[in-house]
Amino acid sequence: MDVQFLTRKATKVVMPDRAFALANLSVLRQEWEQAADGDSLINVPASVGLLLFDVTTRLGLTQEEQTQVLGDQLFREALVKSQL
């Protein structure tokens, strides 16, 4: 499947703890770079579902919040996959 980028017309969200979010997203990027073993993250094929799961986990969302964001099925599948 070839997925194109979304347009940048989305509503801006105000993050009350912006520094926390930025720091955790930066750490997440570093983890992905290590996993990519030197390849550009632009060229690394990845699961969108697991990427979203990583983001919600890194931002410290509770399991209930993750389920709300990801939906029941994706949350359950990602949880099983991450425990392997």
Side-chain angles (χ1 to χ4, degrees):
M1 172 165 66
D2 185 23
V3 179
Q4 298 299 316
F5 290 103
L6 297 175
T7 60
R8 293 281 185 183
K9 296 180 183 177
T11 304
K12 294 201 179 209
V13 177
V14 176
M15 289 187 280
D17 197 347
R18 191 175 187 91
F20 171 81
L22 294 175
N24 279 286
L25 291 172
S26 180
V27 169
L28 186 56
R29 179 209 21 100
Q30 292 168 3
E31 291 172 356
W32 290 336
E33 285 175 339
Q34 288 177 345
D37 198 30
D39 197 8
S40 169
L41 292 180
I42 295 294
N43 299 322
V44 174
S47 163
V48 173
L50 290 177
L51 181 140
L52 290 170
F53 181 73
D54 281 351
V55 169
T56 60
T57 300
R58 179 57 66 182
L59 291 178
L61 272 61
T62 66
Q63 288 191 351
E64 292 78 20
E65 292 168 329
Q66 287 181 291
T67 300
Q68 182 180 4
V69 170
L70 302 173
D72 290 330
Q73 182 177 347
L74 177 56
F75 176 73
R76 283 193 311 272
E77 291 171 350
L79 194 58
V80 168
K81 185 77 169 176
S82 70
Q83 293 176 349
L84 296 179

